[in-house]
Amino acid sequence: MDLSLSPQEFDTLAATLIAWSIAFVPHLVAAIVIFVVGLFVAGWVSRGVSGLLGRAPHVDPTVRPVVAAVLRYGIIVFVIILSLSQLGVQTASLFAILGAAGLAIGLALQGTLTNIAAGVMLLWLRPFKIGDYIEVGAVAGTVREIGLFVCELETFDGIYVLAPNSSIWNLPLRNHGRNGRRMVSLATMVPKDADLAAAVARLNDVVAADGRVLAEPAPVVFVDGFTGAGTNVVTRFWTTTANFAEVQRTIIAEGVAAFGSAAQPAEMPVQMTRTIPPDADPSRLIVRNDKLAVARRP
């Protein structure tokens, strides 16, 4: 097949390409400019809305990143459609293509869509908020951000955790900071030859001397049982959630100091253990939220 062009045909083709370039290049440049400027505007609006919501005292910090992300992605989608329209793409057919593509992508990314649905339910029902210490399965930490797809947490020892929303939504969740108070229970083993009444009185004095222990419900010290080694005395009291981790450690230290000053060391308790919270509860190791905020402040 002879594909050679005559001079007249070549001139016609060149003129056609030049005319097409003159007509199309401005639209291509406009589409690129709209896309680049739109990406910049999307980021600027997202940061501006996030900052504005952060300064609004009546807006829950939990919804701030989600609102910013929705606005950013919405602007990007609008910019893409506007850029394609500059290239002559019909928006009606584009929406039909996007609908078919969305169905295919939705079927292929069911797990991702599940995370989005779980994120919406978490924002709607609010089982926790930013700053709460939660425990879900093997994951436990302070919530730093709730997104459309994942939640960002920080463990008590500073480890960053990225948990999919579906894994949080589909498992039982324990929120250590939701209620305003928590109970602490300590078990003290008093030797059988020791003065039980004096030991109970010392425990009562230790708890009463700590101003962070709540007066209501009132602290109680009672005998829970006895063995051949001695009597088991339980000390139970309530404190605020903010002071929970520190109070339980302080009371044990103060109890050790109080019994260490006994006139007859041989009769002092031989063991003091914490039964509530149990050792498996990671919240016993955390510090107050305001100290975490100070530590993270630049």
Side-chain angles (χ1 to χ4, degrees):
M1 182 181 293
D2 187 8
L3 298 178
S4 60
L5 298 176
S6 64
Q8 293 80 6
E9 292 174 336
F10 182 81
D11 292 340
T12 303
L13 179 61
T16 303
L17 291 176
I18 293 174
W20 179 84
S21 299
I22 294 175
F24 179 75
V25 169
H27 293 283
L28 178 61
V29 173
I32 295 175
V33 171
I34 290 174
F35 183 74
V36 173
V37 173
L39 290 181
F40 173 78
V41 172
W44 179 78
V45 170
S46 177
R47 292 189 296 269
V49 171
S50 180
L52 181 62
L53 294 178
R55 293 188 295 270
H58 60 281
V59 177
D60 193 332
T62 304
V63 303
R64 187 195 315 165
V66 177
V67 172
V70 170
L71 286 175
R72 180 172 179 269
Y73 291 131
I75 293 175
I76 290 176
V77 171
F78 176 76
V79 167
I80 292 175
I81 295 175
L82 190 61
S83 300
L84 292 176
S85 67
Q86 289 292 321
L87 300 177
V89 178
Q90 296 296 326
T91 56
S93 59
L94 178 62
F95 283 129
I97 295 174
L98 289 178
L103 179 60
I105 294 174
L107 294 176
L109 301 176
Q110 294 183 24
T112 302
L113 295 179
T114 301
N115 287 328
I116 296 177
V120 172
M121 295 304 297
L122 291 175
L123 292 172
W124 180 264
L125 297 179
R126 304 282 185 88
F128 55 86
K129 62 181 184 299
I130 302 297
D132 284 350
Y133 191 91
I134 65 172
E135 184 179 357
V136 185
V139 177
T142 302
V143 179
R144 296 304 179 199
E145 183 175 323
I146 304 174
L148 283 176
F149 304 97
V150 296
C151 290
E152 298 181 11
L153 295 88
E154 181 180 344
T155 63
F156 67 90
D157 54 347
I159 297 177
Y160 173 82
V161 177
L162 193 68
N165 289 337
S166 59
S167 65
I168 296 177
W169 174 253
N170 293 325
L171 292 175
L173 183 146
R174 300 177 64 192
N175 189 336
H176 295 268
R178 182 67 175 263
N179 297 330
R181 63 184 185 180
R182 290 192 63 179
M183 184 181 70
V184 179
S185 182
L186 305 175
T188 305
M189 178 59 68
V190 180
K192 59 181 179 180
D193 297 331
D195 187 344
L196 181 60
V200 172
R202 283 178 181 267
L203 291 171
N204 274 313
D205 293 340
V206 168
V207 174
D210 197 313
R212 295 168 297 182
V213 175
L214 299 179
E216 182 63 33
V220 293
V221 180
F222 59 92
V223 175
D224 185 53
F226 65 92
T227 64
T231 304
N232 186 40
V233 178
V234 174
T235 305
R236 186 167 293 171
F237 58 89
W238 290 76
T239 184
T240 60
T241 301
N243 294 323
F244 169 72
E246 293 182 350
V247 168
Q248 57 180 299
R249 295 191 289 263
T250 302
I251 293 295
I252 293 177
E254 292 174 351
V256 172
F259 286 113
S261 61
Q264 299 178 342
E267 298 182 1
M268 65 177 293
V270 295
Q271 182 177 347
M272 177 179 284
T273 59
R274 177 190 56 253
T275 58
I276 299 177
D279 289 340
D281 190 337
S283 64
R284 63 187 176 87
L285 300 172
I286 64 176
V287 296
R288 291 179 58 179
N289 290 333
D290 55 351
K291 293 186 177 180
L292 281 176
V294 172
R296 292 172 57 87
R297 192 174 301 161

